[in-house]
Amino acid sequence: TRFGGDQPVYINIIRDPVSRFLSNYFFRRFGDWRGEQNHMIRTPSMRQEERYLDINVCILENYPECSNPRLFYIIPYFCGQHPRCREPGEWALERAKLNVNENFLLVGILEELEDVLLLLERFLPHYFKDVLSIYKNPEHRKLGNLTVTVKKTVPSPEAIQILYQRMRYEYEFYYYVKEQFHLLKRKFGLKSHIGKPHPRPEFFIPSPLETEEPIDDEEEDDEKWLEDIYKR
């Protein structure tokens, strides 16, 4: 808008920070099931000792790939182009939250993808009509299974806790977005389509208390709410 253009409708999806990091770590090395040599195309210059570096060694011995600022990834994207957006801290975190609130129609959670698709179909039907049916189509499922990262393993409890501490600002942002997403779902009476979660070690990531549902103490016309979003 600073240059006279119309503000686009921004949407996005974020993922649990540790899960995202682990997928990226192993994908860079071994690719996915779309091709046996996929990793050779994506990281042709990676040395063998780096490719087979144990994830626990990388984390516990503080290799650059497994320490800040490489782990400070989600917040800078939402924070913007200000130089301070590249510095892990409260300033970048709060600016990222502000941008989510003021500039995004929807920021969903990958772990609840079906609910994200239902809301997108509700908010932007011209683009997302029948998107959930397409997503559940067996042929799409077959293609989706090919994108699973190869040779991904779970680090030790000690390594996970270290990652969690290094990514504490990322998790503050993730939980904030997750809470806003859940409030939005309840606002539109959306029944959750979350499948049974994958088993996770109890030590993985401590979650904050969830908001009680349903929230019905304040009603607002759904269409007016959407109009206000578009006017931002």
Side-chain angles (χ1 to χ4, degrees):
T1 55
R2 288 165 52 199
F3 303 100
D6 294 330
Q7 175 81 337
V9 177
Y10 285 106
I11 59 176
N12 214 313
I13 303 176
I14 66 172
R15 183 180 185 180
D16 179 285
V18 166
S19 295
R20 185 208 62 81
F21 166 74
L22 294 177
S23 284
N24 181 65
Y25 183 90
F26 291 102
F27 181 77
R28 290 183 63 243
R29 287 160 169 77
F30 306 112
D32 55 31
W33 295 106
R34 286 175 293 183
E36 292 183 4
Q37 300 301 317
N38 196 34
H39 61 278
M40 298 302 294
I41 298 173
R42 294 181 180 274
T43 53
S45 61
M46 184 176 285
R47 296 168 301 174
Q48 288 300 91
E49 57 267 30
E50 181 183 0
R51 190 182 307 281
Y52 292 97
L53 175 65
D54 184 89
I55 183 69
N56 291 301
V57 173
C58 184
I59 296 168
L60 297 176
E61 297 188 12
N62 205 30
Y63 278 66
E65 185 176 2
C66 297
S67 60
N68 284 329
R70 290 297 297 273
L71 302 182
F72 189 61
Y73 174 84
I74 304 174
I75 290 176
Y77 181 89
F78 284 91
C79 179
Q81 302 304 314
H82 193 284
R84 292 184 68 182
C85 290
R86 303 295 175 267
E87 302 171 9
E90 292 292 332
W91 190 92
L93 170 64
E94 294 304 318
R95 176 136 176 176
K97 290 180 181 178
L98 183 66
N99 280 330
V100 167
N101 292 334
E102 293 190 348
N103 297 310
F104 282 81
L105 173 66
L106 173 68
V107 180
I109 301 296
L110 183 62
E111 292 80 10
E112 302 174 29
L113 180 57
E114 290 191 11
D115 289 344
V116 176
L117 298 179
L118 283 172
L119 286 177
L120 287 174
E121 185 173 15
R122 173 69 181 272
F123 297 163
L124 301 169
H126 180 73
Y127 298 100
F128 290 100
K129 181 177 173 56
D130 296 327
V131 65
L132 189 59
S133 299
I134 296 170
Y135 173 71
K136 288 185 173 183
N137 183 283
E139 288 301 312
H140 176 273
R141 291 291 193 183
K142 183 178 179 181
L143 290 173
N145 289 337
L146 296 177
T147 65
V148 175
T149 304
V150 177
K151 297 185 179 181
K152 185 165 64 173
T153 60
V154 177
S156 69
E158 181 184 4
I160 287 286
Q161 288 301 325
I162 290 175
L163 276 181
Y164 176 60
Q165 291 301 320
R166 291 175 182 172
M167 304 173 83
R168 61 189 180 278
Y169 291 114
E170 297 281 276
Y171 269 102
E172 282 193 47
F173 181 73
Y174 173 77
Y175 283 130
Y176 176 79
V177 169
K178 188 174 183 179
E179 180 182 16
Q180 298 304 307
F181 180 62
H182 287 176
L183 289 172
L184 190 60
K185 289 200 301 182
R186 294 182 184 109
K187 179 181 180 64
F188 285 89
L190 182 64
K191 300 298 183 182
S192 181
H193 286 71
I194 308 171
K196 185 177 180 181
H198 296 294
R200 285 174 135 191
E202 292 182 1
F203 59 81
F204 196 76
I205 297 298
S207 300
L209 293 176
E210 298 292 345
T211 305
E212 293 292 334
E213 60 176 306
I215 294 178
D216 55 8
D217 57 339
E218 180 178 336
E219 294 184 359
E220 181 180 347
D221 181 73
D222 292 348
E223 300 307 323
K224 182 179 184 305
W225 180 85
L226 280 175
E227 289 177 5
D228 291 341
I229 286 288
Y230 286 120
K231 289 176 183 177
R232 291 178 181 177

